[in-house]
């Protein structure tokens, strides 16, 4: 928002100013936009400052000081991940920055933006930090950039309160409390600092205790991970020097009806003209004609931060809400007829779960899905998804609907009632050239640490997919994501993946990334502690850049070998299989 836009609305001072490390895209895919629209729907005047310069006061002072609070977020991605590769090299491009050159978001963006506000607004209204960077760094955490345990970001940012998780309920309560001049120190879904530990809250080992003791850090993380990430979790406190970080219990989950209302807010599904004028925003091409069906993920992959931020419980929008959004999208000028993605963190978790998940109190003794298999109490949602997709295909103006979010193939295989029908519909109508899956590895020793399905499950799905694609006469393929140098993975394990890809997947993966230790994940705790924080099992991790790159290069060498084999095929004939090769013609 610009000063001119404020004047046009007759506003001399906004109630809330949100500061973001991303260009402003008014879409439910972007957290800042969701928080802004939710506050606006409650009657607050909200302004946004996108990617303010740190070198001058021009951007941060352009709209003046808000009446109630500043809301500060690094953006859709932790700035350490947005700005650095797994090997610590600067990333040159950014999909959320106009012009795509990655030169607008600072390292440790949440901290830097808080410092920027305090530099030009002394004794200002409260600073509220949120978004995934703040959420993952809310307690003492391992930081790859410094290769050390850092204290809660709330202290380093010198903010007044931290909102963790998705944040709608907590932010509204903060706004209401400040408007009514009430205290904001006891709001669910937030962290604050206090001089004393609160009665009835559970103690986590102090920052000083875990800073230089990996075993103590692992025990602290295990306590936090097992008990703090679900509805009904107790409050915690963690001492940092003379002060206490107070981690209040989670805010209530949104209901499906509330999620429908959020997605029914007047999003423009476009970038603000000021941001758009600065250059192409690549993320916009993907999310403009995409639809979110649900939030949350019970996959509980060890390396993934989604569960820590969104929770394990699936909150699905109603079919009518999704249909209404697509109808509106199809009526817009310039709509091509193609929905680029329909899904969520995992596309085929829509409408699935169990009674415990629906209450926000999942089992603590096992994972819902993963290496150990599918929990027998899990209720699949493929039947509802088949119905939803059929209804969407029948809408006027809708030509193609693609599912690009990725799917959990173990869920499809486990659903004897609707799994095959869902996959058949996917193959026939909803795959654009290739279907993305995420086995991540094939060595069962590594998959167990990742909490991913076994290699046998992956091979079984690959066979089924090829058979179904052939039966539907669809020339579509599988593609997959692979992680190199995950804790427990060695170069020999990556060589095993090359053999697995040749014989079972029948293609060599193109998308290989080196494991990045992000705060507050189980895999990061393994990486730092040298053991699994939940089981105590000793886990070796590759920590040298040379060793990490060597694991990634193993798959690259496999791809080059495959290309050489294809080039050796006689003109007009079938390729010759090298002696002993398990590849199929």
């Amino acid at each position: 928002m610009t000063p001119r836009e404020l004047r046009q609305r007759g506003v001399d001072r906004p109630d809330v100013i949100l500061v973001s490390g991303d260009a402003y895209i008014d879409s439910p895919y972007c957290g800042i936009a969701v928080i802004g629209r939710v506050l606006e729907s409650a009657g607050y005047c909200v302004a946004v400052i996108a990617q303010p310069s740190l070198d001058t006061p021009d951007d941060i002072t352009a709209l003046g000081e808000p009446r109630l609070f500043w809301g500060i977020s690094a953006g859709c991605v932790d700035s350490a991940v947005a700005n650095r590769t797994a090997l610590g090299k600067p990333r040159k491009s950014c999909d959320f920055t106009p012009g795509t050159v990655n030169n607008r978001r600072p390292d440790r963006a949440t901290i830097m933006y808080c410092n920027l506000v305090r530099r030009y607004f002394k004794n200002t209204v409260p600073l509220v930090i949120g978004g995934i960077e703040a959420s993952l760094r809310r307690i003492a955490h391992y930081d790859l950039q410094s290769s050390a345990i850092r204290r809660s970001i709330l202290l380093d940012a010198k903010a007044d309160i931290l909102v963790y998780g998705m944040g709608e309920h907590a932010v509204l309560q903060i706004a209401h409390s400040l408007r009514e001049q009430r205290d904001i120190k006891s709001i669910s879904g937030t962290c604050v600092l206090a001089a004393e530990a609160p009665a009835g809250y559970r103690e986590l080992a102090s920052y000083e205790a875990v800073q230089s003791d990996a075993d103590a850090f692992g025990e602290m993380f295990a306590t936090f991970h097992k008990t703090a990430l679900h509805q009904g979790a107790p409050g915690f406190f963690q001492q940092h020097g003379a002060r206490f970080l107070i981690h209040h219990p989670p805010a209530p989950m949104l209901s499906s009806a509330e999620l429908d209302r959020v997605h029914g807010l007047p999003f423009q599904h476009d970038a603000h003209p000021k941001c758009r004028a600065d250059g192409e925003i690549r993320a916009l091409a993907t999310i403009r004609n995409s639809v979110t069906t649900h939030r949350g993920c019970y996959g509980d992959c060890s390396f993934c931060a989604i569960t820590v931020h969104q929770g394990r419980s699936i909150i699905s929008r109603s079919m009518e809400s999704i249909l209404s959004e697509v109808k509106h999208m199809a009526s817009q000028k310039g709509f091509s007829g193609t929905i680029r993605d329909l899904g969520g963190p995992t596309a085929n978790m829509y409408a699935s779960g169990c009674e415990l998940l629906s209450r926000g109190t999942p089992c603590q003794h096992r994972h819902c899905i993963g290496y150990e298999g599918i929990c027998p109490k899990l209720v699949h949602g493929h039947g509802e998804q088949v119905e939803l997709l059929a209804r969407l295909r029948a809408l006027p103006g809708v030509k193609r609907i693609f599912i690009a979010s990725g799917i959990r193939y173990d869920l499809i295989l486990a659903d004897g009632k609707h799994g095959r029908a869902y996959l058949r519909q996917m193959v026939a109508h909803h795959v654009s050239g290739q279907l993305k899956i995420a086995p991540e590895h094939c060595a069962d020793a590594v998959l167990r640490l990742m909490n991913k399905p076994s290699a046998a499950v992956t091979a079984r799905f690959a066979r089924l997919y090829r058979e179904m694609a052939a039966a539907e006469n669809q020339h579509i393929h599988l593609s997959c994501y692979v992680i190199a140098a995950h804790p427990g993975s060695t170069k020999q394990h990556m060589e095993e993946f090359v053999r697995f890809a040749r014989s079972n997947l029948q293609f060599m993966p193109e998308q290989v990334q080196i494991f990045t230790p992000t705060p507050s994940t189980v895999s990061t705790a393994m990486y730092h502690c040298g053991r699994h924080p939940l089981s105590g099992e000793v886990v070796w991790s590759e920590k040298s850049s040379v060793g990490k790159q060597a694991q990634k290069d193993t798959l690259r060498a496999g791809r080059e070998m495959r290309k050489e084999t294809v080039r050796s095929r006689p003109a007009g004939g079938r390729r010759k299989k090298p002696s002993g090769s398990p590849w199929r013609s």
Side-chain angles (χ1 to χ4, degrees):
M1 183 174 285
T2 63
R4 181 181 178 183
E5 288 173 304
L6 283 178
R7 290 193 298 270
Q8 288 174 342
R9 295 189 180 193
V11 175
D12 61 342
R13 187 180 181 188
D15 295 314
V16 178
I17 295 180
L18 303 178
V19 181
S20 174
D22 296 332
Y24 182 70
I25 300 176
D26 192 33
S27 163
Y29 273 81
C30 301
I32 280 287
V34 170
I35 294 300
R37 288 295 183 185
V38 166
L39 285 167
E40 181 187 52
S41 71
Y44 296 97
C45 177
V46 183
V48 178
I49 300 175
Q51 298 184 312
S53 170
L54 300 182
D55 299 327
T56 73
D58 296 353
D59 294 336
I60 202 66
T61 62
L63 305 178
E65 185 179 29
R67 294 182 190 277
L68 299 179
F69 67 88
W70 299 86
I72 296 174
S73 168
C76 292
V77 182
D78 186 296
S79 57
V81 177
N83 291 351
R84 296 281 187 276
T85 69
L87 299 182
K89 298 177 181 178
R91 293 192 191 274
K92 296 180 180 179
S93 64
C94 173
D95 288 354
F96 285 92
T97 295
T100 73
V101 178
N102 191 23
N103 59 1
R104 300 279 292 273
R105 182 192 295 101
D107 290 341
R108 308 198 188 284
T110 302
I111 296 171
M112 298 302 288
Y113 291 152
C114 286
N115 290 343
L116 183 66
V117 170
R118 293 207 183 277
R119 186 188 315 161
Y120 295 107
F121 295 93
K122 309 298 182 184
N123 302 315
T124 188
V125 295
L127 271 61
V128 180
I129 59 175
I132 195 163
E133 180 166 286
S135 195
L136 299 186
R137 297 173 181 269
R138 61 190 188 260
I139 63 171
H141 57 278
Y142 176 77
D143 176 69
L144 178 63
Q145 193 171 343
S146 59
S147 190
I149 302 299
R150 287 182 68 97
R151 58 186 186 169
S152 168
I153 194 172
L154 185 59
L155 287 97
D156 288 339
K158 298 182 176 62
D160 296 280
I161 187 168
L162 181 155
V163 174
Y164 66 86
M166 300 303 280
E168 293 96 341
H169 282 312
V171 167
L172 279 176
Q173 193 168 348
I174 290 170
H176 296 339
S177 296
L178 291 173
R179 183 178 60 188
E180 297 164 11
Q181 298 184 338
R182 291 188 282 111
D183 183 65
I184 60 171
K185 294 293 186 180
S186 302
I187 294 174
S188 296
T190 69
C191 298
V192 294
L193 295 172
E196 297 180 352
Y201 275 36
R202 187 168 181 177
E203 183 175 8
L204 291 176
S206 70
Y207 164 69
E208 287 74 21
V210 304
Q211 183 181 16
S212 56
D213 187 332
D215 289 339
F217 179 86
E219 292 173 6
M220 180 275 294
F221 176 85
T223 300
F224 175 75
H225 183 82
K226 289 176 181 177
T227 54
L229 304 180
H230 57 83
Q231 295 292 303
F236 288 82
F237 67 88
Q238 183 177 51
Q239 190 167 1
H240 287 65
R243 291 185 289 178
F244 294 86
L245 174 76
I246 312 302
H247 186 290
H248 292 302
M253 298 185 301
L254 293 188
S255 65
S256 290
E258 288 174 321
L259 189 58
D260 284 352
R261 285 196 290 274
V262 168
H263 283 268
L265 295 173
F267 294 100
Q268 299 302 298
H269 301 276
D270 202 351
H272 189 276
K274 185 175 184 295
C275 297
R276 203 169 56 242
D278 290 339
E280 177 194 10
I281 304 170
R282 278 201 300 234
L284 186 58
T286 302
I287 66 180
R288 174 183 275 140
N289 293 326
S290 296
V291 178
T292 300
T293 58
H294 62 283
R295 65 170 55 166
C297 181
Y298 50 75
D300 228 6
C301 301
S302 300
F303 51 81
C304 184
I306 291 174
T307 297
V308 182
H309 186 59
Q310 293 194 14
R312 284 171 69 180
S313 300
I314 303 299
I315 307 170
S316 298
R317 296 170 62 187
S318 68
M319 287 193 194
E320 297 308 318
S321 170
I322 296 168
L323 287 162
S324 176
E325 181 176 344
V326 175
K327 287 176 184 176
H328 176 74
M329 190 179 292
S331 70
Q332 298 302 296
K333 183 179 179 180
F335 177 64
S336 66
T338 298
I339 304 296
R340 306 229 3 201
D341 184 29
L342 182 83
T346 302
N348 62 324
M349 285 187 184
Y350 175 78
S352 66
C354 72
E355 184 178 348
L356 292 176
L357 280 172
S358 67
R359 294 203 304 259
T361 55
C363 297
Q364 297 302 302
H365 67 282
R366 66 155 296 154
H367 299 290
C368 301
I369 60 176
Y371 186 78
E372 297 173 354
I374 310 293
C375 176
K377 294 182 179 179
L378 188 70
V379 177
H380 298 281
H382 294 119
E384 289 84 349
Q385 293 168 58
V386 168
E387 179 186 349
L388 173 63
L389 289 166
R391 293 179 68 182
L392 288 170
R393 288 198 305 273
L395 292 178
V398 176
K399 300 174 183 176
R400 296 297 303 271
I401 303 166
F402 295 126
I403 296 177
S405 302
I407 61 169
R408 283 295 297 237
Y409 49 87
D410 49 343
L411 288 177
I412 292 175
L413 295 174
D415 184 1
K417 190 173 183 180
H418 297 292
R420 283 177 174 259
Y422 173 78
L423 182 59
R424 188 174 295 109
Q425 191 176 74
M426 285 272 294
V427 167
H429 301 290
H430 303 295
V431 178
S432 176
Q434 57 186 15
L435 176 67
K436 296 177 183 176
I437 59 173
E440 309 296 3
H441 218 289
C442 78
D444 282 342
V446 181
L447 292 169
R448 180 174 53 81
L449 295 173
M450 291 178 164
N451 190 40
K452 296 293 290 186
S454 69
V457 173
T458 304
R460 181 182 162 203
F461 178 78
R463 287 194 300 271
L464 176 63
Y465 181 79
R466 288 193 297 269
E467 292 168 2
M468 201 164 284
E472 295 289 333
N473 196 29
Q474 294 287 334
H475 300 288
I476 54 179
H477 310 282
L478 277 178
S479 69
C480 71
Y481 301 103
V482 182
I483 296 179
H486 184 275
S489 176
T490 65
K491 190 171 184 291
Q492 289 70 35
H493 286 135
M494 299 308 293
E495 291 168 351
E496 182 180 339
F497 194 98
V498 171
R499 295 189 292 272
F500 176 82
R502 291 172 183 166
S503 59
N504 291 282
L505 299 180
Q506 299 184 17
F507 68 90
M508 197 59 61
E510 297 284 341
Q511 295 171 303
V512 184
Q513 62 179 342
I514 295 172
F515 168 69
T516 300
T518 50
S520 298
T521 67
V522 173
S523 294
T524 297
M526 288 186 224
Y527 181 87
H528 171 64
C529 300
R531 63 178 66 245
H532 197 298
L534 306 182
S535 69
E537 173 189 357
V538 174
V539 179
W540 176 84
S541 294
E542 178 60 77
K543 295 191 175 181
S544 74
S545 295
V546 172
K548 292 177 180 179
Q549 188 65 48
Q551 289 200 30
K552 182 176 181 178
D553 288 345
T554 301
L555 282 187
R556 182 180 298 169
R559 289 198 301 272
E560 292 303 316
M561 179 180 175
R562 187 179 191 281
K563 290 176 183 177
E564 287 298 321
T565 304
V566 171
R567 282 195 288 267
S568 70
R569 181 193 301 179
R574 295 168 64 84
R575 70 181 179 189
K576 295 180 180 179
K577 286 191 260 185
S579 176
S581 171
W583 296 1
R584 300 180 184 178
S585 300

